[in-house]
Amino acid sequence: MATATPEYLLGDAVDERTRLMAQAALLEDEARALLDRVDIPLGGDVIDIGCGPIGVLPLLSDRVGPHGQVTGFDRHGDMLDHAARTCAGLGNVRFALGDATDTGFTAGTFDLAHIRLLLVNVPDPIAILREAARIVRPGGAVVVQEVDWLSWQCEPGLPAWAELRDVLLEVWHSRGLDPEIGRRLPMLLRTAGLCEVETTARAGIDGAGHPYRRLILTFADRCRDRILTAGLATADELDALVAAVDRPLADPGTVVVRAMTVQAWGRVAGRTGMAHA
Ligand SMILES: C[S@@+](CC[C@H](N)C(=O)[O-])C[C@H]1O[C@@H](n2cnc3c(N)ncnc32)[C@H](O)[C@@H]1O
C-alpha cells in the first residue's frame, strides 16, 4: 500500500509491539485522567489514530459503551492484527488500515479523535492534525498525547547519558522527526484550526527495578545501525557510551526522570459542547 509518510522509525516487529503494550499499561493512568477531562458521549463514535497494538482502545471502548463505536486506525497491518487480538472481547471496536494523513473517512464522521505518540514519528504532524480535525464533527474534540525529551535524564547526572540522548536526538532529527514535539502541541493544534486548546504535562520518575528506566538503551540498540551509518558514533564509541549508561542504571540509587507526556486537546470549530446520545 502506498504511504504518504516514511516508515515508523522503531518498526512494527514483535519486540516493538511488546514494548508498546507495556508502555500503554504504564501510561494508562495518565490516559484515563486525560479522557476524564474531555467529554466523550455514551454511544459516541470515536477513533484512535495510530493505535498500534492497543493504544487507548479499551479505555475508549469503555467510555462510549456498548452502543458506541471505536475505530482503531493504523497503517501497519501487523499492529492492527495485534490490536484485534488485544480487543477480541470488545464488541464495539473495529479496525481500519491506512495513512493518518489521508484516512478516507467522510468529514465529521467522529465525535472525537485521539492520537498518542504518532506525531513524534512523522515529519509533518500538521497534516495529520488537519486530517483528524476534518474527520471530527464541529464541536467534537481532537485529543493528543506526545512525548517531550526535555525532562529525560538520570540522577545523579551522567555525561554519557546526555551524550547518548543527543546521539539519539540526531537520529530522530535526521529523519525530520522531533522528540521534543510535546511543547509544540498547543501551537500545532491551533495551526490545525482547533479552538479552545488546553494542555497539561506529566513526567514519571522510574526508580530501581522499573523496566522503563532502560528505554534509552533499548533505543540505542534499535537505532544502532542508523547511528553507525550516519557516523554519529563509531561502534567502539557507541559500545563505550552504552556501557557507561548501563552500569549506573543497575545501581538502585540511580533515578531516571522519564520523558514528559504532554497532553493537549482542542475542539473543532462550530457548535460547542459534545452531543450525548
Ligand atoms: C509509538 S506507536 C504508538 C501506538 C499507540 N498510539 C500507543 O500510544 O500505544 C506509533 C504508531 O503509529 C503508527 N503510524 C506511524 N505512522 C503512521 C501513519 N502515517 N499513519 C497511521 N499510523 C501510523 C505506527 O504503525 C505505530 O503503530
Side-chain angles (χ1 to χ4, degrees), residues 98-110:
D99 193 289
T101 57
D102 183 13
T103 60
F105 290 107
T106 306
T109 297
F110 299 100

Side-chain angles (χ1 to χ4, degrees), residues 3-12 16 19-21 23-24 27 48-56 73-77 79-80 98-102 114-122 128 145:
T3 51
T5 44
E7 278 310 298
Y8 173 40
L9 175 61
L10 297 169
D12 64 343
E16 178 58 2
R19 184 186 78 80
L20 290 173
M21 290 294 291
Q23 181 173 266
L27 300 180
D48 190 7
I49 302 175
C51 62
I54 180 167
V56 294
F73 186 90
D74 203 285
R75 77 169 185 184
H76 279 120
M79 290 288 187
L80 289 184
D99 193 289
T101 57
D102 183 13
H114 171 270
I115 297 170
R116 183 172 68 189
L117 298 173
L118 166 59
L119 303 183
V120 66
N121 287 300
V122 297
I128 290 179
Q145 307 188 68

Side-chain angles (χ1 to χ4, degrees), residues 15-36:
D15 276 2
E16 178 58 2
R17 297 201 298 274
T18 305
R19 184 186 78 80
L20 290 173
M21 290 294 291
Q23 181 173 266
L26 194 68
L27 300 180
E28 185 171 322
D29 283 351
E30 60 192 54
R32 276 184 201 284
L34 171 64
L35 297 181
D36 284 344

Side-chain angles (χ1 to χ4, degrees), residues 153-229:
Q153 52 190 294
C154 69
E155 178 62 36
L158 195 62
W161 173 285
E163 213 177 311
L164 187 54
R165 182 184 168 286
D166 286 349
V167 167
L168 291 171
L169 204 53
E170 278 305 306
V171 173
W172 263 254
H173 285 169
S174 69
R175 291 176 53 95
L177 312 179
D178 178 13
E180 296 169 326
I181 190 170
R183 69 194 75 170
R184 295 198 292 129
L185 285 185
M187 178 273 291
L188 290 171
L189 264 66
R190 285 192 194 98
T191 306
L194 294 155
C195 58
E196 297 174 41
V197 172
E198 295 186 53
T199 190
T200 184
R202 296 155 187 254
I205 292 195
D206 300 328
H210 197 291
Y212 220 63
R213 65 202 247 121
R214 297 181 62 79
L215 184 65
I216 194 168
L217 297 175
T218 302
F219 282 0
D221 185 46
R222 297 266 180 90
C223 297
R224 185 178 178 85
D225 289 348
R226 291 181 202 278
I227 293 169
L228 301 184
T229 308

Side-chain angles (χ1 to χ4, degrees), residues 53 57-58 80-93 95:
L57 295 170
L80 289 184
D81 289 346
H82 195 126
R85 291 194 295 277
T86 308
C87 298
L90 305 175
N92 59 357
V93 181
F95 298 94

